[in-house]
């Protein structure tokens, strides 16, 4: 099979750092994902990109890939090292006889499979799916005196935890009821067959996912706080699930937040600012009427006790009502004339 230059596929140098490889992969995956790119070559390109990152994004696989060195010349035919020509193993299952283990092409290229096999990549379900099928052997020999120990646990190279932003309003925080949050993403396909085309993912190795969950927002939540959703992260090819971390961002058109203290603006006219007035305002605790004193300035605030958010012990913070003086847009000609006379009086 032909050698594949995974570095060239991702467009990075051989000495690229892990972050450079990850950045290149994300950029190309977005560009060639079949849901976005409808060109005929996009699907094959997307598969190559994922295969390249499967190797270069894992330190152990990358080292294995790099170790062949001069044998991997661009475009050259790859010849396996002695003992790997057929990549086929024969085992004796105790007294019960023997069986063969042959590497198939699977969801990856023949080149990838010949290097890593199912027992390394975890990409094909038949590798270590049922330990009972393998009897009691603990190792197998590659024919050159190299013995590989039986894999006891799946590799932990995949990052299964996910972090997402969660925008919430003050009402979301104050109301003691769950908020429905929807999630979407892309995960590795867990249904790819050992051989042949996978109809579930279309041969790309990845599937789009969507889900929703009801989240109860803590009343004492603060900006940047993380809420953990166990088991809502990515799922790998072994069925393991990661966690999702929601980073809370408080975004509200009506209120500003400072701990348990809330601030909201109330618009008043110049006349109301000079003469004072009474105003009905909405709060989290219901509508109330406040008295605005005479001669207030724009930006001046009135503090209303225990009309803010509760702390972890249930104690309520305050609500600050900030004055914002606005000019009415429907002034009559007579009112404008009066403003002129006022200006003349003040010289």
């Amino acid at each position: 099979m032909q050698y594949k230059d995974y570095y060239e596929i991702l467009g990075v140098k051989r000495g690229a750092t892990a972050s450079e490889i990850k950045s290149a992969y994300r950029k190309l995956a977005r560009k060639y994902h079949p849901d976005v790119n409808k060109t005929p070559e996009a699907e094959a390109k997307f598969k190559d990109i994922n295969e390249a990152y499967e190797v270069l994004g894992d330190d152990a696989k990358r080292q294995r890939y790099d170790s062949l060195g001069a044998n991997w010349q661009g475009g050259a035919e790859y010849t396996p090292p002695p003992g790997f020509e057929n990549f086929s193993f024969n085992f004796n299952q105790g007294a019960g006889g023997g069986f063969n283990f042959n590497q198939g092409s699977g969801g990856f290229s023949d080149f990838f499979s010949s290097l890593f096999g199912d027992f390394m990549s975890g990409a094909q379900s038949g590798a270590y799916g049922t330990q009972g099928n393998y009897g009691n052997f603990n190792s197998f020999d590659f024919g050159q005196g190299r013995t590989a120990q039986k894999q006891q646990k799946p590799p932990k190279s995949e990052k299964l935890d996910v972090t997402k932003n969660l925008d919430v309003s003050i009402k979301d925080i104050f109301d003691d009821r769950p908020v429905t949050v929807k999630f979407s993403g892309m995960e590795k396909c867990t249904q790819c067959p050992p051989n042949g085309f996978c109809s579930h993912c279309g041969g790309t190795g990845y599937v789009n996912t969507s889900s929703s969950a009801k989240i109860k927002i803590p009343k004492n939540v603060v900006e940047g706080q993380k809420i953990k959703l166990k088991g809502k992260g990515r799922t790998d090819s072994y069925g393991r699930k990661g966690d999702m971390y929601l980073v809370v961002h408080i975004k509200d058109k009506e209120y500003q937040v400072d701990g348990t203290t809330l601030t909201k603006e109330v618009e008043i006219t110049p006349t109301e600012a000079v003469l004072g007035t009474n105003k009905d305002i909405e709060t989290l605790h219901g509508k109330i009427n406040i008295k605005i004193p005479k001669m207030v300035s724009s930006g001046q605030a009135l503090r209303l006790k225990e009309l803010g958010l509760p702390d972890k012990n249930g104690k309520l913070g305050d609500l600050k009502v900030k004055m914002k003086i606005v000019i009415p847009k429907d002034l009559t000609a007579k009112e404008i004339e009066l403003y002129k006379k006022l200006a003349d009086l003040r010289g």
Side-chain angles (χ1 to χ4, degrees):
M1 72 291 300
Q2 274 197 331
Y3 159 65
K4 284 193 174 185
D5 190 333
Y6 292 143
Y7 292 98
E8 182 177 343
I9 289 172
L10 294 184
V12 297
K13 297 180 180 178
R14 284 191 170 269
T17 64
S19 61
E20 289 172 337
I21 290 172
K22 185 174 184 180
S23 177
Y25 163 72
R26 286 181 172 178
K27 182 178 179 180
L28 291 171
R30 284 194 297 268
K31 180 178 179 181
Y32 290 102
H33 192 282
D35 288 347
V36 177
N37 193 323
K38 303 300 182 182
T39 59
E41 67 274 9
E43 184 175 310
K45 184 74 173 177
F46 185 71
K47 184 177 179 181
D48 282 346
I49 292 165
N50 282 297
E51 180 178 315
Y53 186 67
E54 179 76 14
V55 176
L56 300 186
D58 182 287
D59 290 341
K61 292 179 184 177
R62 183 179 180 182
Q63 184 178 7
R64 184 180 178 91
Y65 175 82
D66 289 342
S67 65
L68 293 184
N71 289 332
W72 285 4
Q73 300 297 325
E77 293 293 321
Y78 167 63
T79 303
F84 278 82
E85 290 83 357
N86 298 316
F87 209 67
S88 177
F89 308 106
N90 294 310
F91 302 101
N92 285 323
Q93 198 172 15
F99 59 88
N100 293 323
F101 175 82
N102 297 300
Q103 172 63 24
S105 60
F108 296 98
S109 71
D110 290 340
F111 175 75
F112 178 97
S113 300
S114 70
L115 290 178
F116 303 106
D118 287 345
F119 65 92
M120 285 295 293
S121 70
Q124 300 174 18
S125 58
Y128 282 89
T130 307
Q131 289 184 344
N133 292 340
Y134 293 96
N136 297 316
F137 72 93
N138 289 316
S139 63
F140 45 85
D141 186 61
F142 284 84
Q144 296 294 320
R146 297 183 295 271
T147 300
Q149 293 297 318
K150 175 186 174 182
Q151 185 175 348
Q152 298 298 323
K153 294 182 180 179
K156 296 182 179 180
S157 60
E158 297 181 76
K159 295 181 179 179
L160 303 180
D161 291 343
V162 176
T163 300
K164 290 183 179 292
N165 292 326
L166 176 63
D167 295 339
V168 298
S169 67
I170 297 302
K171 190 170 177 60
D172 291 332
I173 298 173
F174 185 78
D175 289 347
D176 194 20
R177 64 172 182 263
V179 175
T180 300
V181 181
K182 295 182 178 180
F183 312 105
S184 61
M186 191 168 63
E187 293 185 353
K188 285 187 177 181
C189 179
T190 59
Q191 299 185 32
C192 287
N195 295 286
F197 181 78
C198 177
S199 60
H200 184 67
C201 67
T204 65
Y206 285 79
V207 292
N208 292 320
T209 61
S210 61
S211 62
S212 63
K214 290 188 177 295
I215 312 297
K216 191 169 183 180
I217 310 297
K219 287 189 176 181
N220 61 329
V221 71
V222 296
E223 175 72 19
Q225 182 173 330
K226 289 184 178 181
I227 299 175
K228 180 180 178 180
L229 302 181
K230 190 170 181 61
K232 292 294 184 179
R234 295 189 182 94
T235 303
D236 68 4
S237 51
Y238 294 91
R240 298 174 299 184
K241 292 182 179 293
D243 300 326
M244 179 175 290
Y245 293 88
L246 300 177
V247 182
V248 174
H249 295 288
I250 301 173
K251 295 187 177 180
D252 198 284
K253 297 179 180 179
E254 188 175 359
Y255 296 97
Q256 293 179 336
V257 186
D258 182 12
T260 60
T261 299
L262 299 178
T263 300
K264 72 177 296 180
E265 285 187 335
V266 173
E267 295 183 351
I268 58 174
T269 66
T271 303
E272 291 171 333
V274 173
L275 303 178
T277 187
N278 286 354
K279 281 273 188 185
D280 287 335
I281 65 169
E282 292 286 349
T283 75
L284 291 176
H285 305 266
K287 183 182 290 187
I288 63 170
N289 184 271
I290 62 171
K291 183 177 181 179
I292 298 175
K294 300 177 182 179
M295 306 301 292
V296 296
S297 301
S298 193
Q300 187 174 341
L302 303 177
R303 183 178 290 270
L304 307 179
K305 295 289 186 180
E306 297 184 347
L307 290 179
L309 291 172
D311 63 16
K312 62 182 180 180
N313 298 317
K315 183 179 179 181
L316 291 172
D318 299 333
L319 171 64
K320 293 196 297 184
V321 180
K322 184 186 292 186
M323 302 300 137
K324 182 179 181 181
I325 299 176
V326 295
I327 305 297
K329 295 182 179 180
D330 57 350
L331 290 175
T332 65
K334 185 175 181 179
E335 287 173 322
I336 293 174
E337 186 63 30
L338 289 173
Y339 271 107
K340 289 180 180 179
K341 290 181 180 180
L342 180 61
D344 291 339
L345 285 173
R346 295 188 60 81

